Amino acid sequence: MAHIQTPLVSNFMRYAFIILSTFLSCFSSIALAAPTTSAAHQQIIEQNKNIEFLTNQALTATGNQLSIIQLELFDSNSALRSSLSDAIGSKNPETSFLIEQIKIQIANDHKYLTYLESSITELQQKTQEASKEDRLLLQIPLNEHRQILAKIYQFQYQNYVWLKKLGENDTAEMTKFTHQVNLAAKFTAASLHYSLTRQSSLNEQLTKVPVAQKGPFELELSYLQRNIDTYSKMLATYIDIAEPLGLDTVNFKHQLFTATGAITHDFISWAMVTSTVSSVGSNIGKWLMSNSPNLIFNLFMFLLVLTIAHFIAKGANVLVTNTVKTGHLKLSNLMQQFLVSMSMKLIYSIGFLVALAQIGLDLTPILAGFGVAGIIIGFALQDTLSNFASGIMVLIYRPFDVGDWVSAAGVEGKVSHVSLVNTTIRTFNNEVLLIPNSKIWTDVIINRTYEKVRRVDMIFGISYKDSIPHAEEIFKAILDDDPRVLRSPEPIIQVDSLGDNSVNFVVRPWVKTDDLTDVRREVTREVKMRFDAEGISIPFPQRDVHIHQIDTSL
């Protein structure tokens, strides 16, 4: 396996400065021969002296010291180009001196380009001959060389712009450079297209191989992704150079958009939009031509499975409905509704998943996604799940059913609807209340209609002066005359207590649950009317007041 040493600074800088150290000494010696006529002029000469000094040090330095010197060389060269730019943009530029400096830059950049192209060819050869593991290591300097190449092209373009600004316009050299940029951009776009195509092919193959055999594919994909990133950056640089040179960049932009998906203001043009739409339309047309038979068949199978699932659900609905209503099961209405509803939903869900499988969709990630989503939703909806669990307990233990008169969670009324999350209770003044099942299940539940027969508990008082047997006869006659009062169990009519103001009777007839309220009200009314008719008084709280006169003469 090839061994590659990583310096303290970026590898990008390392390779750039190895190139710079070879040529900058020549550049510096020529620059120092120019006369000094201004501060800017003097600054450029001083910067060249510094570059020459660092270059000489780089020739003998090693290890971390070399990395540090290379970093200083990069900064010094950047400062030099910045000084040249400022000098060219000044009001009275020293034209002859600056033209000489820029031509030296052009000559050196040309040497850099030649050197880089040779180095890239050599590194590509080594990379192709290396094993897949070593290719990833060799790819690092190779891609850095490629990015440096694009950067030097950008420097060279800036050099020609400077010359033109200073009145030195070499049309032949500019034409030659434009041709070089066009070839470099085309080659980079073609390389990017190949890498994207290869990546798509490998991704498709990766889905069909066993897990144990995916290692080589993943290494190759990692290699391709690095190339795609590098070619994308290079192509973006070439586009920035090519557009001012008047080159057609529509295809380059389209290729870059395909790779990155990024849209900038530079991309928004009618030609770019037309090219993209045309390409997308062409790809869709090709896909439809090659896949339309399978697509139509898969769509037919998708609809067929959903139709079959619909009829099965309808049949299951009828079957489950008839089954849960059989007498020996003794299921509540709530449980019956739940089983019928869940059976249909379950069949529809299974049918939909099977239908998705018919159109070629892999259900494994979907089911895994449902599992992960279930965990997340479980944490997010703890209170709702508590209500759901309470709803399940209500279904199992059946403390009440739809239509029952209940008192729960501080509310009294008739149950009109029960779901797994909440219970709907309609009060006797026709208010509709939705109560979470967790509050109902954790509170005392009173079901007033659970039993079919209920006892009506009533208390009546008579005066101490009235006849007890006479009152008992009246109570018995009233109950005997009411057909809603059951004969068995027999009604209870007894003296219960001797109160402060009355003799109290308990009157407790047994009635059907539905008649309880009406019987209580009508018997109470009848007792009052019969007592009044037969002279029996119903006492009310009273107090005797005795007044004693005090003799004030004493």
Side-chain angles (χ1 to χ4, degrees):
M1 180 179 293
H3 176 71
I4 296 177
Q5 182 179 4
T6 305
L8 291 177
V9 296
S10 167
N11 283 335
F12 180 91
M13 298 176 186
R14 181 179 182 86
Y15 291 106
F17 296 132
I18 290 175
I19 299 168
L20 287 172
S21 64
T22 306
F23 302 108
L24 284 176
S25 59
C26 176
F27 167 77
S28 301
S29 61
I30 297 173
L32 289 174
T36 57
T37 58
S38 70
H41 190 144
Q42 184 63 35
Q43 182 180 16
I44 292 173
I45 291 177
E46 292 297 328
Q47 288 170 336
N48 280 300
K49 286 181 180 180
N50 184 47
I51 289 174
E52 183 181 15
F53 172 75
L54 292 172
T55 300
N56 292 331
Q57 282 191 321
L59 294 176
T60 58
T62 58
N64 291 340
Q65 184 182 7
L66 176 60
S67 299
I68 295 171
I69 293 173
Q70 290 170 348
L71 180 58
E72 292 181 5
L73 270 170
F74 178 80
D75 292 338
S76 298
N77 190 59
S78 298
L80 174 60
R81 293 188 64 85
S82 178
S83 297
L84 288 173
S85 178
D86 293 341
I88 293 168
S90 63
K91 293 183 179 180
N92 299 306
E94 301 175 32
T95 306
S96 59
F97 171 74
L98 293 174
I99 289 176
E100 182 182 2
Q101 299 297 317
I102 295 168
K103 285 184 176 180
I104 295 173
Q105 287 271 352
I106 290 175
N108 285 333
D109 286 345
H110 179 70
K111 294 176 182 179
Y112 304 159
L113 291 173
T114 303
Y115 172 81
L116 283 169
E117 289 170 353
S118 175
S119 298
I120 289 172
T121 302
E122 182 181 350
L123 285 170
Q124 283 177 334
Q125 183 66 29
K126 290 181 180 179
T127 304
Q128 291 173 359
E129 295 173 355
S131 64
K132 289 187 176 180
E133 293 80 2
D134 291 342
R135 285 175 65 191
L136 291 175
L137 294 175
L138 291 171
Q139 187 188 30
I140 297 173
L142 174 59
N143 283 341
E144 289 175 345
H145 272 66
R146 288 167 174 166
Q147 292 185 53
I148 295 171
L149 181 69
K151 191 66 177 175
I152 298 301
Y153 268 109
Q154 194 172 43
F155 287 163
Q156 192 71 295
Y157 168 72
Q158 185 63 52
N159 292 333
Y160 285 118
V161 172
W162 283 343
L163 277 182
K164 186 177 180 180
K165 190 172 183 180
L166 293 172
E168 188 81 9
N169 190 9
D170 192 336
T171 306
E173 285 295 323
M174 199 64 174
T175 302
K176 182 179 178 181
F177 177 72
T178 302
H179 179 67
Q180 290 176 337
V181 171
N182 191 33
L183 289 178
K186 286 183 177 179
F187 179 78
T188 304
S191 300
L192 180 59
H193 176 70
Y194 169 79
S195 298
L196 289 170
T197 304
R198 179 65 177 158
Q199 184 188 53
S200 176
S201 176
L202 285 177
N203 280 324
E204 185 176 353
Q205 295 178 40
L206 190 63
T207 61
K208 301 177 182 178
V209 300
V211 176
Q213 301 177 11
K214 288 186 176 182
F217 288 88
E218 291 174 346
L219 282 175
E220 182 70 15
L221 285 171
S222 178
Y223 176 81
L224 287 171
Q225 186 57 52
R226 290 182 182 180
N227 279 346
I228 290 170
D229 294 341
T230 299
Y231 289 136
S232 298
K233 294 175 182 177
M234 292 175 65
L235 190 56
T237 301
Y238 288 136
I239 289 173
D240 290 340
I241 303 171
E243 277 195 319
L245 293 174
L247 294 174
D248 183 9
T249 60
V250 171
N251 291 333
F252 301 150
K253 289 182 177 180
H254 173 71
Q255 194 64 53
L256 184 60
F257 171 72
T258 303
T260 63
I263 300 178
T264 65
H265 67 281
D266 298 330
F267 275 45
I268 305 302
S269 65
W270 177 249
M272 177 61 187
V273 173
T274 304
S275 174
T276 303
V277 172
S278 176
S279 176
V280 171
S282 176
N283 291 335
I284 292 175
K286 291 178 181 178
W287 184 85
L288 288 175
M289 289 294 293
S290 60
N291 294 279
S292 56
N294 291 334
L295 181 63
I296 294 173
F297 177 75
N298 291 340
L299 182 60
F300 170 75
M301 291 301 298
F302 178 80
L303 296 176
L304 179 62
V305 171
L306 288 182
T307 303
I308 294 174
H310 174 73
F311 285 109
I312 293 176
K314 289 292 186 182
N317 182 34
V318 175
L319 178 62
V320 174
T321 300
N322 294 333
T323 302
V324 298
K325 288 185 177 180
T326 53
H328 64 278
L329 290 179
K330 297 181 180 179
L331 298 176
S332 64
N333 291 333
L334 179 59
M335 181 62 77
Q336 292 175 17
Q337 294 175 8
F338 174 75
L339 293 176
V340 172
S341 175
M342 289 304 297
S343 63
M344 292 188 65
K345 292 177 180 177
L346 180 63
I347 293 174
Y348 277 127
S349 299
I350 294 174
F352 183 70
L353 292 176
V354 173
L356 289 178
Q358 299 306 310
I359 60 176
L361 189 64
D362 187 7
L363 299 182
T364 303
I366 295 179
L367 296 178
F370 283 156
V372 175
I375 295 175
I376 296 173
I377 293 173
F379 280 108
L381 302 177
Q382 296 183 32
D383 293 339
T384 302
L385 291 178
S386 175
N387 293 330
F388 183 85
S390 299
I392 295 293
M393 300 301 290
V394 169
L395 285 174
I396 295 174
Y397 288 98
R398 298 184 298 175
F400 53 79
D401 202 351
V402 174
D404 286 351
W405 173 12
V406 300
S407 178
V411 176
E412 186 170 353
K414 282 192 175 183
V415 179
S416 62
H417 177 72
V418 180
S419 69
L420 292 177
V421 177
N422 55 56
T423 298
T424 303
I425 293 180
R426 188 181 295 273
T427 63
F428 296 108
N429 60 351
N430 211 29
E431 292 180 340
V432 178
L433 306 177
L434 272 71
I435 306 173
N437 285 336
S438 60
K439 291 189 176 181
I440 290 180
W441 183 250
T442 56
D443 198 2
V444 176
I445 302 173
I446 301 175
N447 191 336
R448 303 189 187 279
T449 54
Y450 187 83
E451 296 292 344
K452 302 302 179 183
V453 175
R454 293 273 307 278
R455 190 182 70 184
V456 184
D457 291 346
M458 296 176 286
I459 297 176
F460 299 102
I462 64 173
S463 171
Y464 278 93
K465 297 183 296 182
D466 295 325
S467 170
I468 292 177
H470 187 193
E472 290 175 341
E473 290 177 1
I474 293 174
F475 293 140
K476 187 174 184 305
I478 292 173
L479 297 181
D480 290 341
D481 293 342
D482 194 327
R484 295 167 297 184
V485 175
L486 301 178
R487 300 296 173 252
S488 177
E490 292 184 358
I492 297 174
I493 303 173
Q494 294 178 345
V495 174
D496 181 61
S497 63
L498 299 176
D500 293 340
N501 304 300
S502 63
V503 178
N504 297 322
F505 289 83
V506 291
V507 179
R508 296 173 177 171
W510 289 85
V511 298
K512 293 181 179 180
T513 300
D514 294 340
D515 297 332
L516 185 142
T517 303
D518 292 339
V519 168
R520 176 188 289 114
R521 292 169 179 170
E522 294 183 17
V523 167
T524 300
R525 178 178 182 276
E526 189 66 23
V527 166
K528 176 63 171 66
M529 293 178 65
R530 291 287 296 274
F531 277 8
D532 290 344
E534 301 194 21
I536 295 178
S537 62
I538 300 176
F540 47 86
Q542 56 186 339
R543 186 180 303 272
D544 292 335
V545 179
H546 300 275
I547 300 175
H548 298 277
Q549 185 173 1
I550 300 175
D551 188 357
T552 58
S553 61
L554 296 178

